[in-house]
Amino acid sequence: MTGLSYRGSWSVGIAAALLLSGCGSSVHNRPPVEDRGTSVKSGAALDPRTQAVKQPPGFENAGKAGYYTVKPGDTLIRIGLESGQSHQDITRWNALENPNKIEVGQVLRIVPPVAGETAVVTKPVTTSTATTTPIAAASAPAKAASAPTTATSTPAPAPVAAAGGDDDLNWIWPGNGPVLAGFDEVKNKGLDIGGAAGDTVLAAADGKVVYAGAGLRGYGNLIILKHNNTYLTAYAHNQSLMVKEDQTVKKGQKIAEMGSSDADRVKLHFEVRRQGKPVDPAKYLPAK
C-alpha cells in the first residue's frame, strides 16, 4: 500500500507539472499581432508628434496673392496702411467678429472678394501672441473719435473716383510750413512739414476718411484718407482731428490742426501711399 501510494503521488505530481507547463506556454505564445497592436496604440498616445497641430485662422491661404500673414506688433490699422486698404474693409472681407484682436500667423484677405465670393471667416484663437490694440478705444485722444468698428455684411462704400484716372488727383500741399525732413524709404516714409500748434492741416486731394484716431504707434493723432483704389494719404502728429471715419472730404478742406502728438516737436508728418507702398510726396505736390 505504501509503495502504491508513493508511486501514485509521484504520477499525480508529474501530471500536475505538465499541466502547469502547458498553461505557461499558452500565455507566452500569444499571436504576435495582438502584442504589436497594443504597443502601437500605447506609443501613439505617448508620442507628442502624433498630436494634432492647431493652425492659425486662414493658414491655408498663406503665401497667396491678395493675402497677408499677421506679424508680431501688427494691427488692422497698420495692415490697412501698408496694403492701401481701409481697416474696416479688411474686417468685413474676413468676417472678423472682433477687429480689435488678430492673431500672429493669422492670414487675412487684403483685396476685395471677387463677385459672388463670400467673405472668408478667420476667427482668431486667443493665444499669448495675439495683437489686441483696440481700434475704437485708441481713438479717444482725438476730438473727432471714430465709432467702434463692427463686421457687417453691408457692401463697402465705393471709393472716391478720380477724374481722369487714379493718377490724376491734382494734389495740393497739406500745410504751409517749411519742409523739415524729406522722404527716405527707410528713415522717413513721407515729408515732415513745420508750423505752429493749431495750424490748419488740409486734405491734399478729394477722398474718404478711412481712419481717424491715435491707434498707430509713432503717428500720434492720425488721419488716413483713401483717394481711390491706388492712393492713400496719411496726416500724423495732429493736435486735434476735425473729421470722422467714413466722412467724405474735399481737396483743401480743413481736416486737422497741427500738433506734436507722439513727436518731439510740432510738425505735420505727411505720407503718400501708392497701393500701400510709401512714395515721395514731393513728386506729386506742386512746386512751392
Side-chain angles (χ1 to χ4, degrees), residues 12-22:
V12 171
I14 290 177
L18 290 173
L19 180 61
L20 290 172
S21 175

Side-chain angles (χ1 to χ4, degrees), residues 89-96 107-110 119-122:
D89 287 341
I90 296 174
T91 295
R92 182 173 54 257
W93 295 337
N94 293 278
L96 297 178
V107 180
L108 299 172
R109 175 189 287 277
I110 55 171
V120 178
V121 179
T122 56

Side-chain angles (χ1 to χ4, degrees), residues 15-115:
L18 290 173
L19 180 61
L20 290 172
S21 175
C23 293
S25 176
S26 65
V27 171
H28 293 290
N29 291 298
R30 290 176 180 172
V33 173
E34 189 175 325
D35 284 339
R36 285 200 297 267
T38 302
S39 174
V40 169
K41 288 180 181 178
S42 174
L46 296 174
D47 189 348
R49 291 174 298 179
T50 64
Q51 303 300 315
V53 177
K54 193 159 192 176
Q55 298 288 355
F59 74 95
E60 67 278 3
N61 295 315
K64 293 182 182 179
Y67 289 86
Y68 176 86
T69 301
V70 178
K71 303 188 297 294
D74 275 342
T75 64
L76 282 187
I77 302 165
R78 183 174 293 279
I79 293 170
L81 183 63
E82 297 291 339
S83 63
Q85 303 291 0
S86 161
H87 69 86
Q88 294 175 326
D89 287 341
I90 296 174
T91 295
R92 182 173 54 257
W93 295 337
N94 293 278
L96 297 178
E97 291 183 352
N98 185 355
N100 294 324
K101 184 180 292 183
I102 53 176
E103 180 183 345
V104 173
Q106 183 174 353
V107 180
L108 299 172
R109 175 189 287 277
I110 55 171
V111 296
V114 297

Side-chain angles (χ1 to χ4, degrees), residues 19 52 56 59-60 97 127 135 152 156 167 174 177 192 212-213 244 254 268 272:
L19 180 61
F59 74 95
E60 67 278 3
E97 291 183 352
T127 67
I135 293 175
T152 66
D167 288 305
D192 289 346
K244 298 180 180 180
K254 181 177 180 179
L268 169 64
V272 175

Side-chain angles (χ1 to χ4, degrees), residues 77-241:
I77 302 165
R78 183 174 293 279
I79 293 170
L81 183 63
E82 297 291 339
S83 63
Q85 303 291 0
S86 161
H87 69 86
Q88 294 175 326
D89 287 341
I90 296 174
T91 295
R92 182 173 54 257
W93 295 337
N94 293 278
L96 297 178
E97 291 183 352
N98 185 355
N100 294 324
K101 184 180 292 183
I102 53 176
E103 180 183 345
V104 173
Q106 183 174 353
V107 180
L108 299 172
R109 175 189 287 277
I110 55 171
V111 296
V114 297
E117 186 177 359
T118 57
V120 178
V121 179
T122 56
K123 298 178 182 178
V125 177
T126 303
T127 67
S128 59
T129 57
T131 300
T132 58
T133 303
I135 293 175
S139 304
K143 287 183 179 179
S146 61
T149 303
T150 56
T152 66
S153 58
T154 305
V160 178
D166 282 1
D167 288 305
D168 187 11
L169 284 173
N170 192 22
W171 307 83
I172 64 169
W173 283 81
N176 295 322
V179 175
L180 304 176
F183 175 81
D184 184 286
E185 288 186 2
V186 177
K187 297 179 180 179
N188 193 38
K189 297 180 179 181
L191 298 179
D192 289 346
I193 301 171
D199 280 359
T200 295
V201 175
L202 305 174
D206 293 351
K208 185 184 72 172
V209 180
V210 294
Y211 182 71
L216 193 57
R217 183 177 300 176
Y219 284 79
N221 292 329
L222 170 69
I223 290 174
I224 301 175
L225 300 183
K226 184 168 186 175
H227 302 287
N228 49 42
N229 291 326
T230 301
Y231 289 100
L232 295 179
T233 51
Y235 310 75
H237 307 308
N238 300 290
Q239 173 178 281
S240 58
L241 308 182

